[in-house]
Amino acid sequence: METNPEIVFPEKQNPLESEIYLASQWELIWRRFKRHKLAIAGLVILIIIYTMAIFCGFFSPYSPYLYNADYINAPPQTLQFFDQDGFHFRPFVYGYEVSRDPETFRMEYQIDHSKKYPVYFLVRGDRYKLLGIWETDLHLFGVKEGHIFLLGADPMGRDLLSRVLYGARISTSIGFIGVFLSFVLGIGFGGISGLYGGAIDNLIQRMIEFIKSIPSIPLWMGLAAALPQDWTVIQVYFAITIILSLKGWTGLAREVRSKFMSLREEDFILSARLIGASKTRIITQHMIPSFLSHIIAQVTLAIPGMILGETSLSFLGLGIRPPAISWGSLLQAAQNVRTVALTPWLLLPGVFVIITVLAFNFLGDGLRDAADPYGK
Amino acid sequence: MEENKLLEVRNLKKFFPINRGFFNRKVGEVKAVNGVDFSIYQGETLGLVGESGCGKTTLGRAILRAVEPTSGQVLFRTGEGKVVDVTKAEDRQLKKIRKDMQLIFQDPYSSLNPRMTVKDLVGEPLLVNKIARGKGLQQKIIELIEQVDLRPEYMDRYPHAFSGGQRQRIGIARVLSLNPRFIVCDEAVSALDVSIQAQIINLLQELQQKYKLTYLFIAHDLSLVKYLCDRIIVMYLGKIVEIADSEQLFTQTRHPYTEALLSAVPRVDPKRKSSKIILKGEVPSPINPPAGCYFHPRCNYVQEKCRREEPLFRNVGQEGEEHYVSCHWAEQLGPKEVM
Amino acid sequence: MKNLLEIKDLKINFNTEEGIVRAVRGASIRIDKNIIHGLVGESGCGKSVTARSVLNILAANAEIIGGETLYHHQGEIVDLSKLHPDGKEVRKFRWRDISMIFQEPMTSFSPVHTIGNQIMEAILLHSDLSQVAARTHAINMLERVGIPDPAKRIDEYPHQLSGGMRQRAMIAMALSGNPKLLIADEPTTALDVTIQAQIIDLMKQMKDELGMSIMIITHDMGVIAEMADYVSVMYLGKVVESAPVVELFYNPLHPYTKALLKSIPTINSKREEKLTAIAGTVPDAYCIPDGCAFYPRCSQYKPGVCDRSEPNLTEIATDHQVACIMYHGEVETDGGK
């Protein structure tokens, strides 16, 4: 009863399965990632935040620098759909009735139900450059008469929502660029360390230990304080990014090193060596793809630290300085107790920081769990 | 080196340093392979057996220079008939030699890069060595996949789509693509299910006949090695204790360790239970092997001389037969039959 | 009554993210008193799951969805599968009545406690012996399983023992409660042949000394032939054949058992004889074939019969049961080889 291994019996096959069989590493990661509801939520939130940051001119109703003495510290308005006549399909905001406190000379705002400003989509307003290239005056929403301050106004009467959206540009991108720098340094130093080992490895490891032992906040503060006052916004921005990534790369370098070291012992790497693959090929085709997904997950988890770093530095007045806007520099305006008591909405940029950081953490957790689709 | 030999190993050693402390000082050595001599003849299947930690895997890898040998020579006859010392070959020469000598791994899961499709895995050696490209490459890959009884339709699939046995076939196709003449099979079937093992063994045998391959078959399954191999090497603690024709090893066992090892193999026959020779104690550490004969602390025939003197590794075969053994008392004890 | 344990039509599912895995699909095994019962099969056939279900120590996502596990306990019959896995009742049976050893003794011992403390913990937990008495008992057990110098070894940590010694210590711990049934899940797979031989001998000796039964789970036909008195062969979650060991090796009936025995080289195999390999691969556990699960690989596959109905385990001769349509009488066969 010789059996022939080539006989093919009707195979009962799960249609889903053959799809999985053809799935590359990234498709498998995506399959696993999709099951993480929280991570998906984080991803969606981040897409929204980054879209708004990139097109901040379009999404904000006003120019963030538009000064308006009539609305100093105006409180947030709420979107209304109902008035005494009932429901309106088009939302509107009520205007303010402004009076000055005779004793403190503070402006006091009351809602004036007689002033109704309907909100329109795609209205013309302040001119701005979309993506810094095309000049336009189109805004997502706005009012044709009166004013709209959905998040209130600051002590100079500027629209806080617009300022938060413009601030997002710097605050969210600094995380990305900082992490990219860390990534390059981390892969570079970690790679050298892991691949060559020996004395070079020893040197790099001791250097990493030294850098890690420097307390972050004083290091950042010292370096940031040393930035010349007359630097342009762009210069300061990049300087801050570099300062933030100076420490960030060390953890990543260790990760990369240990990955290289453990991969060197893997059978499939030996197999590549034995078939005559060059070192370059082994590193680029076999080793890096094996841990890239882990590193991406790590990097995602490192971004919040960068964002918080920028916020802290700017809050202390050492980072992004006005007139440039970042969430940290916005929070700087809310540094005293009086602000907190009288104009609490100035703390709202902090809420954006929290949401972004949480979203990154959720996303990073999901990525980390999905990063190795071949493990058990 | 004689014409009929494909490979000759001379006093090969591989010690792994043990480094400790802040300055990574060397505090000792694991003597994984501790001076072995043997030859492999053209077209034969040579078995290499021993218990875990005896150095059989390291030996297999040191021959291929997958690990750098500490000392000794590995003489290999290339396709053109030249004899080269693999341990001294330079990068370029080594790359050329490696087309001739390849390794089949034990674990079909860890030895295939999970991020590459079957096509890429089988095609990689061809690409890297510039053997084929473009349309010719595609054609060659299909041939190789069919050669190992896999379906070419599946070549865009990733390894996770396949079972252990099928993965092992992919690994074999990959190795075969280089047209090697010598293959080290490192426990090539021991990770597979019983019903799959036979498939792979049959495949290996078919390929051997078709391409005149020479195998060094490393395994711990003695029944399998006896079935598959022409000659068998028995290793203990980094040294060879016995080399003999596979039938002879069982019928005319010379070394006390071989005797105990063979007697311990479970017989697949409930009516003929083995009469086991139970050894005392455990295998000593290869960091500090015992003095004299390494096997003396566990040997049932131990004498005073065994504790002091290392036995000579010599041929005790009759009438020109090769039967090497390293035991002081091989001649006195005479051959034994362990069946 | 000579029955000790009866597993009847046991069904276990695993709920995984990819779907339901029918790990055990109606397995029936009867283990008699004072014998060694071998459970043999390839990876994924459900042999370990079946064994673990006896003690109710399945993974969290496993669910016993049918069948019973009847344990004959002092004249009473208890259905172990119905007991709550963390409840008091089932704990009463573990270790004292039914004990288990595993393939990798390193992972079954905690690395931070001495082996003595771990054995004593088990003894103290299940009996009212004093500390001193428990320690004496532990030393005694270590001695019985052949650990040299047990009074000293009892205070060593698991990593200080070699693989064979750890397995011996594991056996000492499992047997210290004098169980009626020892479940041994691949106890020798991680060991070398010479050590394997020692452990096999030890288990046979302990079985006679303590008058217990052993259920040994393995994929190695050699171990079965050496040890077992009675064998059940499993394939894809079902027992396909059960017979006394000599009967099974000399008169296998199920095509799977036959093929399995032919596919392994024995010490007497000749090189010229090609091994008879079983075609194909074990199907994926997510999509088990309809009908007899073995038909896609079977050399005696009858289209329209084997792929339609699932054969049940039926007694063909005394103590010889087989689940194959060929032996059910209704279908004409060519009688195998």
Side-chain angles (χ1 to χ4, degrees), chain B residues 218-230:
Chain B
I218 304 171
H220 65 271
D221 182 343
L222 285 149
S223 319
L224 176 60
V225 169
K226 179 174 181 256
Y227 166 73
L228 204 58
C229 300
D230 302 296

Side-chain angles (χ1 to χ4, degrees), chain B residues 45 50-52 163 166 193-196 198-199 201-202 205-206 208 220 222-224 226-230 247 250 257 260-262 264-274 276 278-279 281-282 298 339, chain C residues 42-43 162 164-165 192-198 200-201 204 219-223 225-228 245-246 249-250 260-261 263-271 273-282 297:
Chain B
T45 305
E51 296 179 276
S52 51
S163 65
Q166 291 171 319
D193 266 322
V194 191
S195 75
I196 307 300
Q199 293 179 4
I201 290 166
N202 285 343
Q205 284 190 308
E206 279 163 28
Q208 179 170 40
H220 65 271
L222 285 149
S223 319
L224 176 60
K226 179 174 181 256
Y227 166 73
L228 204 58
C229 300
D230 302 296
E247 201 60 41
F250 282 79
Y257 174 67
L261 187 70
L262 298 184
V265 181
R267 306 289 189 265
V268 190
D269 185 347
K271 283 187 186 165
R272 289 183 51 190
K273 305 205 173 169
S274 53
K276 292 168 208 146
I278 303 286
L279 288 176
E282 314 256 345
R298 306 179 70 194
M339 286 302 265
Chain C
E42 296 175 274
S43 54
S162 66
M165 284 299 152
D192 279 316
V193 251
T194 53
I195 311 295
Q196 168 174 289
Q198 296 173 3
I200 288 177
D201 269 10
K204 287 206 277 201
H219 66 274
D220 190 334
M221 279 295 191
V223 172
E226 288 280 329
M227 263 187 92
V245 67
V246 176
F249 277 78
Y250 281 87
L260 202 59
L261 286 169
S263 71
I264 34 180
T266 66
I267 219 116
N268 302 317
S269 300
K270 290 279 170 293
R271 205 176 161 195
E273 303 164 6
K274 229 176 142 192
L275 295 177
T276 318
I278 304 180
T281 53
V282 181
R297 306 177 71 191

Side-chain angles (χ1 to χ4, degrees), chain A residues 224-237:
Chain A
L227 296 182
Q229 288 292 323
D230 54 353
W231 274 16
T232 63
V233 174
I234 300 285
Q235 280 175 317
V236 172
Y237 174 81

